[in-house]
Amino acid sequence: MSGLLAKYRTWLDLPAYTLDITLHEGGTPLIPMPRLAAELGGGLELYVKYEGLNPTGSFKDRGMTAAISEAAGRGVQTVICASTGNTAASAAAYAARAGMKAIVLIPQGKVAAGKLAGAVAYGAQVVQVDGSFDDALGLVVELSHRQPVALVNSINPYRLEGQKTAAFEILETLGGAPDWLCLPVGNAGNISAYWLGFQQRGARPRLLGVQAAGAAPLVLGQAVEQPETVATAIRIGRPARGEQALAAAEESGGRIVAASDTAILAMQTRLAAEGVWVEPASAAGLAGLADELSAGRLDLQGRRVVAVCTGHGLKDPEVITGRMAAPQVVPVDLGALERLLAD
Ligand code: F0G
C-alpha cells in the first residue's frame, strides 16, 4: 500500500521539490448498484465511486495530499483554506501529518457536525465567518497574498492534480471509460479535475455535473448571493472554477443541471437502502441523473454510468437524526420485546 503520489507521480504535474505527505488516501471502491439501477429504469449499468472511504471521509484527501506535499516541499509552515467542511477536515489532517499549522474559515453555523469535529480533532484553528463560503474564500485569498501562508483551496492547481487520480482509478477498475460520470458540483474543482484526468488518458465520458437548486449559479448563469441547501457541502454561490467546469461539461458532451433538496434527500435514502450511506451533497449527482432520466432527457439503455459519491454519511449525522423520532425503548423483558416486534 502507498499513497496516491507514490502511485501516480509521473502522471501528476507537481514540482520536483514536492514531498510525499500521505495518509494512504485513494484506492476507493467502485461499487455496483444493480437495485438502484433497476429502480431508475433506464437499462443502465450503475456504479458508485465511494469517496467517503478516504482517510478523512471525503474525496478532498486526494487533492490535499498533493497540495500539502507541495507546500511542505517549499518549507511552508501554515496553510489556510475556506471550507464548507470537508476541505477543512482534510487540510487539518494533512497539515497535522506534515507538522504544519492549519487555519480554516467556515461559514458560521453551516458546517455539518462530523466535518467541524474533524477539523478540531486534527488540531486546526477554526474560524467562523459571519457570511457565506464565498465570503470566506474571498478573505483567505486576500490573506494569502499578505501573509506567509499557503492557500489549499482548489484554486491551488496541485489540488486538481491530486484529484485527477480518481479518474485514473475508474478507468483502471472498469478497463475503460464509463459512458457518463455524474457528480455534485460546488466550487467546481472536482468536475474540472476529473475532466483533466480523463483527457490525460484519452478517455471522454460525458459529464453530468449537479448543483443543488438553491445554489445553482452554473445553471442560472449568474452568481447566487444567498445560496441555501440541505447539502451544505455545495452551498456555494460563486464557484471559483465555474468557467472551467462549464467548459468541461460542454466539451464532454454533457451538462450541468440542478436537483432539488427533496430529490437529493430522497436519493440519499435510496443509496442507503442499498448499503451506501453518503452525505446529502454526495447524493446530488445521482439525484440529477434520476431527474434527467425520468424527464426523458437521457437515454442510458445499455450504458455504463459512474456516480461519484464524494463524502461519507457520517459527516452529517444530524441530517438523519434531526428528522427522526427517538428509537423505541423496552424494559429488560423478553415478553415486552416480543410484543413490540409483533406490532
Ligand atoms: N461533495 C462534497 C461532499 C463536498 O464537500 C464538495 C465540496 C463537493 C461535493 C463539491 O466539490 O467544490 O470541487 O465542486 N466541498 C468544498 C469544501 C467546497 O469546502 O469542503 P467541488
Side-chain angles (χ1 to χ4, degrees), residues 59-60 83-87 184-190 233-234 236 279 310:
F59 73 98
K60 303 288 182 179
S83 181
T84 56
N86 281 321
T87 300
V185 174
N187 213 23
N190 208 29
I234 53 173
I236 293 174
E279 64 169 286
T310 45

Side-chain angles (χ1 to χ4, degrees), residues 3-330:
L4 290 172
L5 298 199
K7 183 156 186 214
Y8 292 111
R9 185 69 181 253
T10 55
W11 292 89
L12 308 182
D13 189 3
L14 298 170
Y17 59 76
T18 303
L19 300 181
D20 187 4
I21 308 297
T22 183
L23 288 164
H24 292 202
E25 57 292 318
T28 56
L30 195 61
I31 305 177
M33 301 294 284
R35 264 163 42 204
L36 179 55
E39 266 178 59
L40 292 175
L44 69 159
E45 189 182 316
L46 179 64
Y47 300 86
V48 160
K49 181 69 171 161
Y50 194 19
E51 290 287 275
L53 295 188
N54 276 295
T56 78
S58 85
F59 73 98
K60 303 288 182 179
D61 297 343
R62 294 180 185 276
M64 212 51 78
T65 184
I68 298 286
S69 294
E70 187 277 334
R74 61 186 159 89
V76 166
Q77 286 171 358
T78 305
V79 295
I80 193 165
C81 67
S83 181
T84 56
N86 281 321
T87 300
S90 185
Y94 283 81
R97 190 81 170 161
M100 294 174 183
K101 176 178 178 175
I103 304 169
V104 304
L105 269 69
I106 57 173
Q108 185 181 13
K110 296 291 184 183
V111 167
K115 305 176 189 181
L116 179 54
V120 172
Y122 297 122
Q125 181 176 357
V126 180
V127 181
Q128 297 201 79
V129 176
D130 181 12
S132 66
F133 165 85
D134 306 286
D135 298 325
L137 185 59
L139 281 174
V140 294
V141 168
E142 288 300 311
L143 194 83
S144 67
H145 292 147
R146 296 162 62 102
Q147 304 280 338
V149 294
L151 184 69
V152 294
N153 280 105
S154 59
I155 298 170
N156 178 325
Y158 306 121
R159 280 277 311 277
L160 268 56
E161 289 302 309
Q163 285 173 214
K164 288 190 318 194
T165 59
F168 301 160
E169 288 178 11
I170 290 171
L171 295 174
E172 287 157 17
T173 308
L174 289 180
D179 296 295
W180 281 88
L181 182 93
C182 67
L183 78 174
V185 174
N187 213 23
N190 208 29
I191 189 171
S192 303
Y194 269 97
W195 189 233
L196 291 173
F198 283 126
Q199 279 184 306
Q200 197 174 355
R201 293 272 176 103
R204 296 184 70 84
R206 297 170 85 173
L207 303 179
L208 184 72
V210 185
Q211 301 203 286
L218 301 181
V219 179
L220 299 172
Q222 62 186 52
V224 176
E225 289 312 321
Q226 294 190 322
E228 208 45 82
T229 168
V230 69
T232 52
I234 53 173
R235 185 176 170 274
I236 293 174
R238 284 193 299 274
R241 290 191 182 267
E243 294 302 318
Q244 195 176 344
L246 285 167
E250 192 183 320
E251 281 170 34
S252 77
R255 55 192 174 270
I256 297 184
V257 300
S260 70
D261 278 5
T262 308
I264 288 171
L265 291 176
M267 186 53 72
Q268 183 191 33
T269 303
R270 288 168 86 176
L271 280 162
E274 201 163 343
V276 178
W277 182 30
V278 304
E279 64 169 286
S282 300
L286 271 169
L289 186 92
D291 283 353
E292 294 294 291
L293 265 176
S294 65
R297 288 189 290 265
L298 268 185
D299 179 6
L300 296 179
Q301 194 62 44
R303 300 286 180 204
R304 208 157 52 165
V305 177
V306 170
V308 183
C309 287
T310 45
H312 202 287
L314 287 166
K315 289 278 189 171
D316 195 351
E318 284 160 355
V319 82
I320 307 291
T321 55
R323 283 182 296 156
M324 72 181 209
Q328 290 168 299
V329 180
V330 286

